[in-house]
Amino acid sequence: MFFHIVLERNMQLHPRYFGRNLRDNLVSKLMKDVEGTCSGKHGFVVAITGIENVGKGLIRDGTGFVTFPVKYQCVVFRPFKGEILEAVVTMVNKMGFFAEAGPVQIFVSNHLIPDDMEFQSGDMPNYTTSDGSVKIQKDSEVRLKIIGTRVDATEIFCIGTIKDDFLGVINDPTTT
Amino acid sequence: MSRRRHDEDEDEIEDEEYEDQDDQLIDDEEYDDDMEKRGSSSNRKRSRSSFIDDAAEEDEEEEEEEDDDDEDYGGGGGASKKRKTARKGASFFDLEAQVDTDEDEDDEDGGEDDFIVDGGADLPEEDDGRRVHRRPLLSREDDGEDVDEIYRRIQERYSRTSQGEYDEETTDVEQQALLPSVRDTKFWMVKCAIGRERETAVCLMQKCIDRGPEMQITSVVALDHLKNYIYIEAHKESHVREACKGLRNIFVSSKPMLVPIKEMTDVLSVESKAIDLARDTWVRMKIGNYKGDLAKVVDVDNVKQRVTVKLIPRIDLQALASKLDGRAVAEKKGIKPAPRFMNYDEARELNIRVERRRDPMTGDYFESIEGMLFKDGFLYKTVSMKSITAANIKPSFDELEKFHKPGEHGDDDMASLSTLFANRKKGHFLKGDAVIIVKGDLKNLKGWVEKVEEDSVHIRPEEKGLPKTLTVHEKELCKYFEPGNHVKVVSGSQTGATGMVVKVEQHVLIILSDTTKEHMRVFADDVVESSEVTTGVTKIGDYELHDLVLLDNMSFGVIIRVESEAFQVLKGVPERSEVSLVRLREIKSKIERKSNVQDRYGSTISVKDVVKVLDGPCKGKQGPVEHIYRGILFIHDRHHLEHAGFICVKSQTCGLVGGSRSIGDRNGNAYSGYGNLKNTPRIPPSPRRFQRGGPPFEFGGRGRGGRGGHDALIGTTIKIRQGPFKGYRGRVKDIKGQSVRVELESQMKVVTVDRSCISDNVVVVSTPYRDSSRYGMGSETPMHPSRTPLHPYMTPMRDSGATPIHDGMRTPMRDRAWNPYAPMSPPRDNWEDGNPGSWGTSPQYQRGSTPSRVYEAPTPGGNYSDTGTPRDSSSAYANAPSPYMPSTPGQPMTPGSTAYLPGTPGGQPMTPGTGGLDIMSPVLDNEGGSLMPEILVNVHRGDESLVGVVREVHPDGMCKIGLVGNGDMVTAMASDVEIVGPRKSDKVKIMGGAHRGSTGKLIGVDGTDGIVKLDDTLDVVILDMVILAKLA
């Protein structure tokens, strides 16, 4: 799920960035630092949409660095248990397949793939229904439900299922 | 007993009973007193309640007897009879035990049948043999009475007490009341011949039957598990002795031992045997071909002590066939055929006769081959109970799977469950655990554990409309997980692993391991919910998962998986992933050496740097370098699912990606722009600390980029932390791999030390910053550093001493003062000796010194060597004017040399005598005074001598003096100035020693010492007069 929230961060800025463009530098550094990171609480920071305010800088003794408390608005993405997501399959193996929804990696175990889908090994490993009508392979788009998440400091890993109504392949690159 | 009582007059009984009760009361009180120290109120309660109960029982007894009478006469029997029959079933041990207490009161009367019945009550576990004895006894006793009568009496006896039980629910208190107390008979432990315990008990019983009431013991207990002893229940030890007299199996010599009241219940409490071989339990074979194999019990014959088990056969059909053909078969010793299900067709093909038989007992059909019975491919074998173990069987998944093979399901799960449950550890369930009921009426009810007691677990059911908590037996519960739970395996082969539950199959979970991204099957019982992420067993011996190890054949690889006794190692063969299973002993050593290699573009890669594979089969993979060895990188790509994410590539096929983590600080600033700006990846990880300390300087445009990656350390002054040079400081000259060449400050030599043995926390000394400032300023303002007042040797005077010109000008005098006493300061000597080169005459020096003093020149050398640090010397050259002089920062160490500086040639201090003293005087240390502002001096101008006050002192030795007379300012050389010695009560300024710079009052003079009262601290100190100057 995406959220638009306000976060705060203390930015350390090197003195050489001081000057007219200080604010710009600060913002670009903030973007560089924050976008794409993941925190357990908020999930992935997708984009910074604005700066709320920049606090007073504090000069660090010894280094000359200046710390600015920056409040910024950003869009975060955090997967939740039970959430339905659309994801792109990145890898298929006999244990299931991995899919990615943006920065989140989701594993769908073969136990959570409908029983009528069988693993087919080969050049392009895939899961196929017995009648061959549905095929999950690399680059397929699937709709899945997240049943568990593991949130580490730097990544979020989920396991999902497609063994439910209205879940499964939504767009197969090979057919389109 | 009841019969007896019945025979007696009711009143009498009552009287007696009440007497008894009185006794009891007294007893109770005594008892209470006795037990005071235990301080347990429950005891008190117990005794009291036992009293009450007894009374109540008596009442009931009477009532019932009346009832019975009614009954006997056919009146109104219906209801009461029903009641009694209903109670019949309730007559269990406890009740009997209660009866027992009643009987105990009557025991005084004695009575053989009492005794016998007692025995029965006390020995519920006694086997049939004894009962057989009892039956004829009763009938004999009851001769002439009709069966109804007996029935009635028995009914009466047992139902009587149960009434109380029934009406008021059994509570703990009442149970407590049943426990023996002091008024009850006691147990005596009597030693008897080993193995004759039962026999002895029977003998005693026989004796009682023969002797009748004169035997005053109430029961005898022989316990199977207790050898060498029997228990005799009696009131007094003498009764026991009496009873034991004449029995050859009892050793009369040994004193009967009293069993403490507390332990009496334990004597007779029945320990249910943990292992009861029931059908469908899993066992393991202990001996034979099937040793260690899992087997399932199909039939138990307790009498013959034999068990029929179901096994996966290990039969070599070929061998069997040849044996049947009469051919001699060479016994393959030690080779067990692999377990395999029996294939009858195959057997028939080999001309082995397969008969089909029906088991007469069960009616099942078995295939019989060579006397062995098979069914469904399993071997059914009857073995002795001793050849199997049933305790702590933990069937592994594979084994269970195998047993499942021929399509059995359902109840089988239950079987494995029961075995698993038997092996549960204590405290298996914890509050808050999600559980599911797997047996009984409430099967499949989910809930949460609220409370755990011994065997029963209180759970809060998930369903609504049920009581708030339910009490369920532990064995009917199983832990419950849902897909998506993150769990940790706490027992079994996968112990320690964590993962997410992917699927739940009854009590089996399928878990996706966090690390390997593989499926694991585990029992729900073996896991707990956890947010932790671990890998399971990660270590055998010294080797851990992901270690780089050197193998036997000089190959190497990374441990990518730790199995029960071996490691899976990804060999260091680039471009081809070769995995081998390696045993512990095949590993030679762990490779811990850190090295750096060059990537395709020549940048240095070190461990933890992120690289991208540019070529080969793994092209495109990217990840941090975990190990580097012989130009081969092991990269960990978390998206790579094979080999635990490890990829083995040549360093030349990789390119460094982005900034190196090794320099980023921990706050994640590795991403910061700075990191990228300076081609940092080249800097090896270890000097990180320097880096952190120094970034500003790096940015200061020092233009280091072009040089090797080690600059950060090179040129810095470090301290050696370990090894023979521990404690030395020095400047880093060069870095080669792990070793660092350090030029020691104190010894003119360069040593090589390990990088790990140095520390950069040399605060005093300049990091590159300081250096650079010197470079920058040295030539223009050599005296500049002196302006920092805080610095001990940076005060103007001192510094001026340090500055070339000044020194140059001064030395002559000092030297003169010095030389005569040089021998008296050995260190000085050493320096000179050690650094002969250092005192080579320099033009600069010469210039300042008068010709007559040239020969004294060597002294500066002392200074020099004293401070002979590489750093200083290098900066020295920057301060070009006099090469030697810059080294003088160390000068402070030359004892007292400067102390004489202010002194005019004729000055008293210069006299040998004082000089000698001065040098040795501790007060007069290296901080020796020179001119300071505000002191009163005599200025020699030509022949005249003027009194003035020093206003300013220039580092070059010149000073501005305000003349006292006309207020003129004159500038004079230090050599032309003489300090005016203070007198008593003068205000003075201290020009040397610890108090240098402070002012005070000279309150007394003692020879060459002056007693000074300091202005700021009001301390009184004794100082040498030479360092005291009169304050203007």
Side-chain angles (χ1 to χ4, degrees):
Chain A
M1 215 174 286
F2 291 94
F3 298 91
H4 192 204
I5 54 169
V6 175
L7 293 177
E8 192 170 346
R9 185 183 168 89
N10 285 329
M11 298 293 301
Q12 288 217 0
L13 205 63
H14 188 268
R16 78 194 148 102
Y17 292 116
F18 300 164
R20 263 183 310 179
N21 297 327
L22 192 147
R23 197 184 158 88
D24 291 344
N25 283 330
L26 198 64
V27 173
S28 57
K29 180 167 157 42
L30 177 74
M31 286 182 164
K32 213 185 249 168
D33 280 6
V34 168
E35 283 182 6
T37 59
C38 169
S39 78
K41 194 176 171 196
H42 301 105
F44 290 95
V45 177
V46 177
I48 290 172
T49 54
I51 305 291
E52 290 251 304
N53 84 68
V54 178
K56 279 187 178 149
L58 186 75
I59 301 174
R60 295 269 146 214
D61 288 343
T63 62
F65 277 71
V66 174
T67 307
F68 293 98
V70 183
K71 267 192 184 164
Y72 57 96
Q73 299 162 340
C74 59
V75 175
V76 292
F77 174 57
R78 191 193 192 289
F80 288 93
K81 213 167 161 172
E83 188 179 346
I84 310 254
L85 280 179
E86 283 164 19
V88 178
V89 176
T90 54
M91 185 170 47
V92 179
N93 62 21
K94 68 177 192 319
M95 288 184 308
F97 65 84
F98 286 87
E100 275 177 9
V104 180
Q105 204 187 20
I106 303 152
F107 177 70
V108 179
S109 162
N110 57 9
H111 298 282
L112 300 168
I113 294 172
D115 295 328
D116 64 334
M117 295 191 91
E118 285 280 321
F119 177 67
Q120 315 284 329
S121 56
D123 201 25
M124 198 72 169
N126 59 74
Y127 282 87
T128 320
T129 49
S130 45
D131 60 356
S133 60
V134 183
K135 196 184 241 182
I136 297 174
Q137 61 186 25
K138 192 170 187 293
D139 296 328
S140 297
E141 289 168 29
V142 291
R143 179 176 294 139
L144 46 83
K145 186 163 107 179
I146 292 172
I147 59 167
T149 59
R150 190 186 75 226
V151 181
D152 295 344
T154 53
E155 68 162 344
I156 295 181
F157 179 76
C158 303
I159 59 169
T161 178
I162 54 166
K163 208 177 184 177
D164 216 334
D165 293 343
F166 308 109
L167 299 181
V169 176
I170 47 174
N171 178 23
D172 194 345
T174 53
T175 56
T176 51
Chain B
M1 169 193 82
S2 44
R3 182 176 52 80
R4 176 175 303 275
R5 188 174 295 157
H6 204 68
D7 294 341
E8 281 164 11
D9 190 281
E10 293 258 332
D11 290 344
E12 219 180 289
I13 294 172
E14 263 187 56
D15 287 348
E16 194 192 310
E17 300 277 350
Y18 287 121
E19 257 172 51
D20 268 355
Q21 279 159 18
D22 288 345
D23 288 348
Q24 252 169 256
L25 269 174
I26 296 157
D27 274 353
D28 281 350
E29 272 154 28
E30 281 168 13
Y31 181 71
D32 281 354
D33 289 342
D34 287 347
M35 293 310 191
E36 204 63 61
K37 58 172 178 272
R38 280 163 87 188
S40 136
S41 61
S42 75
N43 274 323
R44 211 160 298 186
K45 207 180 281 170
R46 183 189 62 175
S47 18
R48 197 173 304 132
S49 61
S50 69
F51 162 63
I52 294 163
D53 283 351
D54 283 350
E57 276 159 20
E58 294 308 328
D59 292 344
E60 279 154 20
E61 191 179 348
E62 281 166 34
E63 244 179 66
E64 269 181 42
E65 272 163 19
E66 278 161 29
D67 279 355
D68 293 340
D69 289 345
D70 290 347
E71 221 174 288
D72 281 348
Y73 303 109
S80 70
K81 209 164 207 168
K82 255 181 221 157
R83 192 179 56 183
K84 274 164 204 164
T85 22
R87 272 174 223 140
K88 207 160 123 194
S91 330
F92 289 130
F93 295 174
D94 329 356
L95 311 184
E96 283 178 323
Q98 202 165 7
V99 169
D100 196 24
T101 52
D102 282 276
E103 280 164 358
D104 292 343
E105 292 154 24
D106 298 357
D107 278 339
E108 245 68 58
D109 307 10
E112 40 192 62
D113 85 2
D114 274 353
F115 165 64
I116 291 156
V117 172
D118 262 354
D122 278 340
L123 299 168
E125 81 278 22
E126 285 292 86
D127 53 8
D128 303 0
R130 198 156 297 190
R131 258 175 263 142
V132 175
H133 278 286
R134 201 193 307 172
R135 242 174 275 134
L137 269 174
L138 277 170
S139 55
R140 197 190 60 183
E141 284 272 311
D142 299 337
D143 267 350
E145 292 177 11
D146 59 344
V147 183
D148 283 354
E149 179 71 4
I150 299 166
Y151 173 75
R152 190 187 60 78
R153 278 203 303 268
I154 291 169
Q155 276 290 322
E156 178 191 300
R157 257 196 79 211
Y158 287 109
S159 52
R160 173 173 53 85
T161 40
S162 69
Q163 173 131 26
E165 297 284 311
Y166 228 67
D167 292 346
E168 332 147 17
E169 269 183 18
T170 317
T171 60
D172 284 351
V173 177
E174 276 177 40
Q175 284 289 323
Q176 286 282 321
L178 299 175
L179 291 171
S181 65
V182 276
R183 69 189 163 81
D184 295 320
T185 50
K186 287 136 191 117
F187 266 134
W188 306 87
M189 209 157 80
V190 180
K191 205 166 187 175
C192 70
I194 203 158
R196 302 290 174 99
E197 298 86 10
R198 279 177 181 236
E199 189 187 326
T200 316
V202 174
C203 286
L204 273 167
M205 181 172 69
Q206 188 61 43
K207 197 173 175 185
C208 287
I209 295 163
D210 296 343
R211 296 279 187 85
E214 61 181 281
M215 292 281 283
Q216 285 178 305
I217 60 173
T218 53
S219 70
V220 179
V221 183
L223 295 176
D224 285 340
H225 62 264
L226 184 77
K227 302 275 181 234
N228 217 190
Y229 287 100
I230 57 167
Y231 289 101
I232 298 179
E233 190 185 354
H235 273 287
K236 289 178 180 156
E237 192 186 327
S238 58
H239 298 165
V240 177
R241 283 183 181 280
E242 191 60 35
C244 296
K245 238 178 222 170
L247 283 177
R248 61 192 167 94
N249 285 334
I250 293 179
F251 307 122
V252 191
S253 55
S254 66
K255 193 176 179 288
M257 279 175 286
L258 178 68
V259 178
I261 285 181
K262 276 188 282 180
E263 292 165 26
M264 278 173 78
T265 45
D266 298 332
V267 170
L268 290 180
S269 57
V270 184
E271 292 263 334
S272 62
K273 268 198 177 167
I275 319 145
D276 53 333
L277 275 178
R279 280 166 172 236
D280 286 342
T281 45
W282 294 109
V283 294
R284 263 181 217 285
M285 307 301 288
K286 271 201 279 195
I287 44 172
N289 241 3
Y290 295 95
K291 185 177 176 183
D293 279 12
L294 189 72
K296 192 179 198 179
V297 177
V298 286
D299 194 23
V300 186
D301 187 342
N302 274 318
V303 182
K304 287 193 201 155
Q305 297 275 298
R306 291 183 81 76
V307 190
T308 307
V309 292
K310 185 166 101 172
L311 285 161
I312 300 171
R314 286 176 183 270
I315 289 165
D316 186 352
L317 282 173
Q318 292 284 356
L320 190 70
S322 31
K323 201 173 131 197
L324 283 174
D325 288 354
R327 275 174 279 153
V329 186
E331 279 281 322
K332 283 183 244 163
K333 279 267 162 75
I335 299 170
K336 288 198 280 187
R340 205 156 61 91
F341 289 106
M342 178 53 78
N343 186 335
Y344 310 116
D345 297 333
E346 198 182 316
R348 286 196 188 96
E349 272 171 32
L350 287 162
N351 291 324
I352 300 169
R353 247 183 83 201
V354 182
E355 286 171 53
R356 194 170 170 81
R357 276 191 201 160
R358 184 173 172 274
D359 185 57
M361 297 289 279
T362 56
D364 287 338
Y365 284 96
F366 288 97
E367 258 71 34
S368 167
I369 299 170
E370 263 296 280
M372 294 179 287
L373 292 176
F374 296 91
K375 190 186 168 191
D376 299 327
F378 286 103
L379 168 67
Y380 283 72
K381 200 176 179 184
T382 306
V383 294
S384 155
M385 264 188 194
K386 281 181 182 148
S387 64
I388 55 170
T389 47
N392 290 322
I393 304 296
K394 277 233 145 192
S396 75
F397 243 111
D398 295 345
E399 288 170 317
L400 285 182
E401 291 277 277
K402 274 183 201 154
F403 263 84
H404 278 295
K405 270 252 171 73
E408 287 179 58
H409 272 299
D411 60 329
D412 220 52
D413 276 335
M414 268 342 277
S416 50
L417 260 190
S418 61
T419 310
L420 286 172
F421 289 179
N423 295 324
R424 264 182 191 163
K425 280 181 243 155
K426 267 200 173 160
H428 180 78
F429 292 105
L430 294 173
K431 188 176 183 232
D433 280 357
V435 289
I436 189 165
I437 299 175
V438 292
K439 271 187 207 170
D441 296 342
L442 295 170
K443 192 170 171 179
N444 288 340
L445 178 74
K446 291 166 199 160
W448 293 272
V449 175
E450 283 286 296
K451 198 166 92 177
V452 184
E453 283 167 358
E454 292 277 304
D455 284 342
S456 53
V457 180
H458 297 255
I459 64 163
R460 176 163 49 89
E462 192 186 44
E463 293 296 319
K464 280 183 185 133
L466 283 170
K468 220 174 176 191
T469 55
L470 293 170
T471 310
V472 190
H473 195 268
E474 186 201 41
K475 305 226 158 162
E476 292 170 5
L477 281 178
C478 192
K479 281 194 190 168
Y480 177 73
F481 295 93
E482 269 176 357
N485 287 151
H486 194 257
V487 294
K488 181 181 182 186
V489 184
V490 291
S491 56
S493 58
Q494 310 273 0
T495 303
T498 57
M500 249 191 272
V501 179
V502 165
K503 197 179 183 192
V504 182
E505 289 173 346
Q506 298 189 1
H507 59 282
V508 174
L509 305 180
I510 296 169
I511 294 175
L512 181 78
S513 161
D514 285 335
T515 38
T516 58
K517 299 270 193 292
E518 277 173 13
H519 287 152
M520 299 184 287
R521 285 168 69 90
V522 290
F523 294 108
D525 263 358
D526 289 345
V527 302
V528 289
E529 207 158 332
S530 147
S531 55
E532 191 185 344
V533 177
T534 55
T535 50
V537 185
T538 59
K539 203 170 183 179
I540 307 180
D542 289 336
Y543 309 110
E544 221 173 324
L545 191 69
H546 301 172
D547 275 352
L548 183 66
V549 290
L550 195 64
L551 306 178
D552 260 355
N553 45 2
M554 290 315 280
S555 61
F556 57 94
V558 174
I559 297 175
I560 52 170
R561 191 163 181 178
V562 181
E563 288 171 11
S564 52
E565 274 170 351
F567 301 97
Q568 263 187 26
V569 172
L570 174 69
K571 291 274 196 71
V573 189
E575 326 310 348
R576 180 165 55 95
S577 36
E578 192 182 322
V579 177
S580 60
L581 203 65
V582 175
R583 304 209 157 262
L584 185 62
R585 62 189 146 79
E586 292 169 51
I587 297 179
K588 257 191 165 163
S589 65
K590 189 146 95 179
I591 304 169
E592 282 178 300
R593 221 172 61 204
K594 297 254 185 292
S595 55
N596 301 317
V597 286
Q598 308 259 302
D599 70 355
R600 171 170 287 186
Y601 309 117
S603 6
T604 307
I605 305 172
S606 49
V607 172
K608 292 289 174 212
D609 287 349
V610 177
V611 297
K612 187 165 192 162
V613 184
L614 303 167
D615 259 334
C618 297
K619 186 177 175 181
K621 301 272 183 191
Q622 180 176 331
V625 175
E626 293 293 323
H627 297 287
I628 302 172
Y629 192 64
R630 292 189 199 154
I632 287 173
L633 307 180
F634 289 93
I635 304 167
H636 187 263
D637 179 5
R638 69 185 177 90
H639 297 290
H640 187 70
L641 292 163
E642 285 169 287
H643 312 133
F646 275 92
I647 303 165
C648 167
V649 284
K650 269 199 190 128
S651 64
Q652 288 298 316
T653 61
C654 297
L656 196 65
V657 176
S660 168
R661 266 162 196 269
S662 53
I663 44 92
D665 66 28
R666 281 181 208 143
N667 307 329
N669 282 351
Y671 299 101
S672 73
Y674 319 130
N676 298 329
L677 278 170
K678 23 167 213 167
N679 193 10
T680 38
R682 293 184 185 156
I683 293 156
S686 47
R688 200 181 305 171
R689 290 176 307 190
F690 296 99
Q691 292 267 320
R692 246 184 251 147
F697 315 123
E698 297 284 326
F699 294 118
R702 304 254 328 266
R704 293 201 148 175
R707 283 158 67 190
H710 312 300
D711 316 39
L713 201 52
I714 289 179
T716 52
T717 302
I718 51 94
K719 192 166 184 176
I720 299 170
R721 288 192 294 125
Q722 283 168 18
F725 295 102
K726 180 177 174 177
Y728 284 77
R729 284 207 317 234
R731 166 195 274 256
V732 177
K733 298 291 276 185
D734 192 15
I735 297 176
K736 250 186 203 156
Q738 272 302 98
S739 52
V740 179
R741 281 162 62 76
V742 180
E743 193 178 51
L744 300 181
E745 278 184 0
S746 53
Q747 296 184 355
M748 291 291 284
K749 63 179 180 180
V750 178
V751 296
T752 306
V753 292
D754 195 85
R755 176 177 279 183
S756 61
C757 297
I758 61 173
S759 78
D760 58 325
N761 57 354
V762 188
V763 191
V764 192
V765 191
S766 36
T767 46
Y769 179 52
R770 175 67 182 270
D771 261 350
S772 71
S773 71
R774 286 212 180 175
Y775 280 118
M777 299 163 157
S779 49
E780 302 157 358
T781 47
M783 68 291 279
H784 178 71
S786 60
R787 298 254 161 94
T788 342
L790 280 179
H791 223 288
Y793 53 79
M794 285 189 177
T795 43
M797 292 311 256
R798 270 224 54 80
D799 243 300
S800 63
T803 48
I805 304 162
H806 197 90
D807 242 320
M809 307 195 99
R810 243 178 227 184
T811 20
M813 274 189 284
R814 173 176 45 171
D815 288 337
R816 196 179 53 180
W818 247 105
N819 274 348
Y821 306 107
M824 294 164 95
S825 65
R828 173 68 177 274
D829 269 343
N830 289 344
W831 297 330
E832 285 176 1
D833 292 346
N835 305 288
S838 61
W839 35 274
T841 35
S842 92
Q844 295 285 349
Y845 187 80
Q846 292 296 339
R847 188 180 58 190
S849 51
T850 57
S852 60
R853 286 158 192 158
V854 168
Y855 66 97
E856 290 165 349
T859 27
N863 294 336
Y864 174 73
S865 53
D866 161 20
T867 54
T869 73
R871 172 180 57 78
D872 284 334
S873 59
S874 75
S875 58
Y877 297 105
N879 297 338
S882 90
Y884 285 118
M885 292 324 153
S887 53
T888 40
Q891 189 196 34
M893 312 229 168
T894 41
S897 55
T898 39
Y900 301 98
L901 285 182
T904 51
Q908 285 317 299
M910 306 300 177
T911 57
T914 40
L917 278 175
D918 290 346
I919 286 162
M920 294 184 292
S921 148
V923 185
L924 180 71
D925 66 356
N926 41 25
E927 300 276 323
S930 51
L931 291 179
M932 290 177 99
E934 292 178 9
I935 59 172
L936 214 57
V937 290
N938 286 327
V939 185
H940 301 276
R941 285 238 161 148
D943 295 336
E944 57 172 347
S945 173
L946 301 166
V947 178
V949 177
V950 177
R951 295 289 175 207
E952 242 176 86
V953 178
H954 292 289
D956 58 1
M958 305 292 280
C959 49
K960 263 189 180 166
I961 295 164
L963 296 179
V964 176
N966 47 20
D968 285 352
M969 295 291 265
V970 294
T971 307
M973 297 293 285
S975 52
D976 294 336
V977 177
E978 186 198 5
I979 295 169
V980 176
R983 300 212 182 110
K984 196 178 166 187
S985 303
D986 278 349
K987 286 274 226 179
V988 294
K989 187 153 196 168
I990 299 158
M991 302 200 303
H995 301 285
R996 186 182 149 80
S998 34
T999 54
K1001 194 176 175 188
L1002 187 65
I1003 53 176
V1005 181
D1006 180 15
T1008 55
D1009 291 337
I1011 301 155
V1012 179
K1013 187 177 184 185
L1014 298 178
D1015 284 342
D1016 45 358
T1017 59
L1018 297 178
D1019 284 346
V1020 176
V1021 291
I1022 297 172
L1023 298 168
D1024 204 290
M1025 286 295 282
V1026 290
I1027 61 163
L1028 297 181
K1030 188 175 178 187
L1031 213 53

